[in-house]
Amino acid sequence: MFPAVLGWGQRFMPRHADPALPERRRAQILEAARRCFLERGFRETTVEEICAEARFSPGALYRYFDAKADIVAAIALEARAHAQAALHRLEDGADLIDALTELALIFFAAFEGERDGALLADIWGEAARDRALAQALAARDGVVAARVAAAIARAQRAGRAYPALSPQDAAEALMAMLDGMALRLALRREAGSAAAARRFRAFAVHVLKPKR
Amino acid sequence: MFPAVLGWGQRFMPRHADPALPERRRAQILEAARRCFLERGFRETTVEEICAEARFSPGALYRYFDAKADIVAAIALEARAHAQAALHRLEDGADLIDALTELALIFFAAFEGERDGALLADIWGEAARDRALAQALAARDGVVAARVAAAIARAQRAGRAYPALSPQDAAEALMAMLDGMALRLALRREAGSAAAARRFRAFAVHVLKPKR
DNA sequence: ACCTGAACACCGTTCAAGT
DNA sequence: ACCTGAACACCGTTCAAGT
């Protein structure tokens, strides 16, 4: 039976019986959606399937997300946040090249192979027509690029990076290369993140190391 | 009235009254679709709208394309073929950097701004889940990368490019950068292809020019 | 052969009704 | 408040019927 104490019509009912419930529900939906998307891709997955996986009804799902696209958007931001964690090593005094390579490896590995790679392209496809998502991704990218640029500038001052190079331009170029390489991995539908990270590293060394 | 001479039931009717008709129809549909996609984006455009724009019925359209996705695929391959034309300068004896910059400019310009940029991401999104399209794009990319690599190797032999660099790896890296920069342009929804091409050029010079 | 357009199937989203 | 599930709206695709 429904306990009247928590009933909807009750006078001094707390606004949220469980204040953490919305966040729990969102996480529950995102987890289910991620499993579905990896299995079948974003477009092939129906809202009904996500609901079944999350043991939810469609009506309840739309209480926590305004649209199916918002679910991929949330997953996209999660993935970026994950890679961003690797940035801490850039400030840790770790070698610049090592830290960049680790960032690349995490990013590539997150989208390696057929299914995860398709998710990366899905996200970009969504961002292309979802202004808010595009801006959110661009904002994250801006933060990453700025921190990479700062790390490059520090390395230059320490004589450990080629000095006649704009840190901002170099950072932008390297980030663009990361995106492009990840995309190529995705479209080839192969596992090759380790090899890609090695190629990225060799290139970063060539670009950044002081010439002599 | 329908002329009986060309009638369907006639005995020795030629296989194709007009052998060029299928190609004309495809071109007609692609043009209409491109206009619609630029206006509203791939997903927002309905097949019905493409048909209206092309003055066609849905049934007729499906005679020339198996699915809506096949229409974007055809447009994607057209765009790549267009950029590929710029490759001829690589074999023309033109300066390597100049030729690469021109390639970059054509590529960026093709996807500059909000609408065309979104189309680029659309294409990648489709490729992510359309094996045939992904392979077709990868094949084109392979051709381009191979020709760029050959041009780099020639420049190295002529002493006009830094020699201790794998031409293949450098070509791949530069192509990945092109994709990544184009994507960033697309997501920022800005016109900036000229500036992006300049940044690409500066970076290519830094990467390729002999150190001294 | 080539085309039309109504009908079908499917899926994202909403909303009245339950507890 | 939180959830259910039937109903709605829309759109990609098919197919029987026309010329």
Side-chain angles (χ1 to χ4, degrees), chain B residues 74-85:
Chain B
I75 290 177
L77 288 175
E78 260 182 7
R80 294 263 161 169
H82 183 217
Q84 213 168 336

Side-chain angles (χ1 to χ4, degrees), chain A residues 43 114 121-122 124 126-129 131 162 172-173 175-177 179-180 183-184 188-189 206-207 211, chain B residues 43 114 121-122 124 126-129 131 162 172-173 175-177 179-180 183-184 188-189 206-207 211:
Chain A
R43 296 202 207 166
E114 175 162 353
D122 275 338
W124 280 335
E126 278 307 301
R129 70 185 67 72
R131 242 198 164 77
Y162 180 65
E172 275 271 328
M175 295 301 101
M177 230 178 71
D179 282 340
L183 182 70
R184 279 152 178 266
R188 280 183 198 144
R189 292 147 190 267
H206 174 64
V207 168
K211 306 194 178 186
Chain B
R43 294 201 208 167
E114 174 162 354
D122 275 338
W124 279 334
E126 276 308 301
R129 72 185 64 72
R131 243 198 162 79
Y162 181 66
E172 275 269 329
M175 295 301 101
M177 231 179 71
D179 282 339
L183 181 71
R184 279 151 178 266
R188 280 180 198 148
R189 292 149 191 261
H206 174 66
V207 168
K211 308 195 179 184

Side-chain angles (χ1 to χ4, degrees), chain B residues 43-86:
Chain B
R43 294 201 208 167
E44 281 69 25
T45 299
T46 69
V47 170
E48 202 178 327
E49 285 166 340
I50 299 173
C51 290
E53 181 81 21
R55 302 177 182 290
F56 242 57
S57 68
L61 184 145
Y62 277 89
R63 179 172 260 271
Y64 298 102
F65 290 94
D66 284 342
K68 186 187 173 192
D70 289 358
I71 298 177
V72 234
I75 290 177
L77 288 175
E78 260 182 7
R80 294 263 161 169
H82 183 217
Q84 213 168 336

Side-chain angles (χ1 to χ4, degrees), chain B residues 97-162:
Chain B
I97 302 285
D98 287 344
L100 284 176
T101 305
E102 192 176 324
L103 178 68
L105 189 58
I106 289 178
F107 191 62
F108 293 158
F111 295 112
E112 179 171 52
E114 174 162 354
R115 305 188 308 181
D116 306 65
L119 186 54
L120 174 67
D122 275 338
I123 287 164
W124 279 334
E126 276 308 301
R129 72 185 64 72
D130 182 337
R131 243 198 162 79
L133 176 56
Q135 280 170 356
L137 288 181
R140 294 233 175 220
D141 276 354
V143 171
V144 174
R147 292 171 78 176
V148 171
I152 291 175
R154 277 199 304 279
Q156 284 175 330
R157 284 194 296 274
R160 287 182 286 104
Y162 181 66

